[in-house]
């Protein structure tokens, strides 16, 4: 039986999921980029590039990158489209790492970073030419509310791009799940010193809807058209939801 994604939290505490997610990312921020690239063998770089190539067809001038973390997708979007990007995240520690990266790349005039809540976005309706989220919607406390907010702030006939983990299917599934549930959390704990963060990752991925289920959720949220692309045998999926 599939677990309710809203009940999957990083820490077994009385705090809200949102508060626990913020604490988790604050805790792992210093090691986050290193772990991301090591654990994915840098395939995550290819995934972000694929999203941006798709987005580039829309010729966006201003993009909102929600759950921006340390800014990897925001940077890829700026480089790939030349648009101005606002990166928003719950975790101030993740943003702090991102600000340093952006300054080193001399992109602080094109990319701005701010603390904020994806489920209560501080922007007017129909503001952005595109909205992106990489590996963030899985962490929303209220998925429906978060997706509705993404739709609210994107312009009519423009799209929200979501990159999220899904599930490998077929003969590779058992091997991938072994890595995902056993090896990945062990490395994550060793490097990040956070005992729960990289156990929460496979738990939340297992509970999260993907493929046709996620497409239907986006349509039910009010998007008029939803397309998706599976990446790397289904490890991740990009959804393009058009308002």
């Amino acid at each position: 039986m599939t677990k309710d994604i809203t009940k999957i939290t990083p820490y077994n505490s009385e705090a809200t999921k949102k508060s626990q997610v913020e604490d988790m990312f604050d805790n792992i921020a210093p090691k986050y980029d290193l772990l991301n690239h090591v654990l994915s063998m840098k395939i995550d770089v290819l995934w972000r590039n694929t999203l941006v190539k798709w987005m580039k067809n829309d010729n966006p001038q201003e993009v909102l990158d929600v759950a921006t973390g340390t800014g990897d997708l925001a940077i890829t979007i700026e480089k790939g489209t030349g648009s101005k990007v606002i990166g928003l995240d719950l975790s101030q520690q993740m943003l702090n790492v991102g600000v340093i990266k952006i300054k080193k790349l001399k992109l602080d005039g094109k990319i701005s970073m701010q603390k904020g809540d994806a489920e209560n976005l501080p922007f007017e309706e129909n503001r952005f030419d595109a909205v992106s989220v990489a590996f963030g919607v899985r962490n929303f406390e209220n998925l429906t509310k978060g997706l509705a907010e993404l739709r609210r702030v994107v312009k009519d006939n423009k799209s929200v791009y979501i990159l999220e983990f899904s599930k490998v299917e077929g003969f590779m599934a058992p091997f991938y799940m072994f890595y995902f549930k056993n090896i990945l959390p062990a490395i994550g704990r060793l490097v990040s010193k956070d005992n729960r963060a990289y156990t929460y990752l496979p738990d939340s991925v297992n509970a999260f809807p993907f493929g046709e289920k996620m497409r239907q959720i986006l349509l039910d949220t009010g998007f008029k058209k939803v397309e998706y692309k599976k990446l790397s045998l289904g490890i991740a999926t990009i959804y393009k939801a058009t308002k």
Side-chain angles (χ1 to χ4, degrees):
M1 184 176 174
T2 305
K3 291 183 180 178
D4 180 356
I5 185 63
T6 62
K7 302 292 192 292
I8 307 294
T9 57
Y11 309 110
N12 297 317
S13 76
E14 295 301 312
T16 63
K17 177 173 181 175
K18 194 175 296 182
S19 176
Q20 292 184 52
V21 165
E22 182 178 359
D23 288 346
M24 177 186 74
F25 282 113
D26 279 345
N27 289 342
I28 67 176
K31 302 289 187 182
Y32 180 79
D33 283 343
L34 170 67
L35 274 166
N36 237 13
H37 298 321
V38 168
L39 293 173
S40 72
M41 293 171 282
K42 287 207 170 181
I43 296 172
D44 61 312
V45 175
L46 297 176
W47 295 342
R48 279 190 286 275
N49 286 336
T50 302
L51 184 154
V52 172
K53 282 178 186 173
W54 205 1
M55 181 188 287
K56 192 176 181 181
N57 295 329
D58 294 348
N59 192 30
Q61 303 303 302
E62 188 179 34
V63 178
L64 174 65
D65 183 40
V66 174
T68 196
T70 64
D72 276 352
L73 181 55
I75 291 165
T76 308
I77 290 168
E78 193 286 327
K79 288 182 174 179
T81 68
S83 60
K84 285 198 169 185
V85 185
I86 296 174
L88 179 137
D89 203 275
L90 263 182
S91 166
Q92 187 60 54
Q93 296 305 317
M94 294 283 276
L95 290 168
N96 292 346
V97 174
V99 166
I100 293 167
K101 280 162 61 173
I102 289 162
K103 283 182 177 175
K104 280 183 180 176
L105 293 167
K106 296 183 169 55
L107 292 174
D108 38 325
K110 297 295 298 274
I111 302 172
S112 60
M113 304 284 267
Q114 69 181 75
K115 183 173 166 58
D117 178 4
E119 294 168 44
N120 297 283
L121 293 172
F123 306 106
E124 65 272 22
E125 290 183 17
N126 305 306
R127 161 81 181 266
F128 297 98
D129 301 304
V131 176
S132 61
V133 192
F135 310 113
V137 294
R138 201 179 68 257
N139 300 321
F140 288 177
E141 187 167 80
N142 184 322
L143 178 60
T144 303
K145 187 178 179 185
L147 294 176
E149 275 291 271
L150 304 182
R151 182 183 177 279
R152 181 181 68 79
V153 300
V154 77
K155 291 177 181 176
D156 287 342
N157 300 310
K158 297 296 185 179
S159 301
V160 172
Y161 291 83
I162 296 169
L163 169 58
E164 189 52 85
F165 286 113
S166 41
K167 290 182 188 174
V168 175
E169 297 176 301
F171 77 98
M172 286 296 293
F175 303 102
Y176 177 71
M177 286 311 298
F178 180 81
Y179 169 77
F180 207 48
K181 294 194 78 170
N182 298 283
I183 297 171
L184 183 149
I187 297 170
R189 282 193 295 271
L190 187 67
V191 177
S192 73
K193 309 301 182 190
D194 187 307
N195 286 332
R196 268 294 295 167
Y198 289 87
T199 304
Y200 165 73
L201 175 59
D203 288 350
S204 61
V205 170
N206 278 332
F208 195 74
F210 67 98
E212 283 298 312
K213 283 187 180 178
M214 184 62 176
R215 178 177 174 274
Q216 191 59 53
I217 289 168
L218 287 162
L219 289 170
D220 291 344
T221 305
F223 290 99
K224 65 181 181 182
K225 183 182 179 183
V226 180
E227 308 161 74
Y228 63 91
K229 294 179 180 180
K230 290 183 180 182
L231 306 170
S232 305
L233 301 174
I235 295 173
T237 302
I238 301 170
Y239 304 88
K240 178 183 178 182
T242 304
K243 183 173 174 179

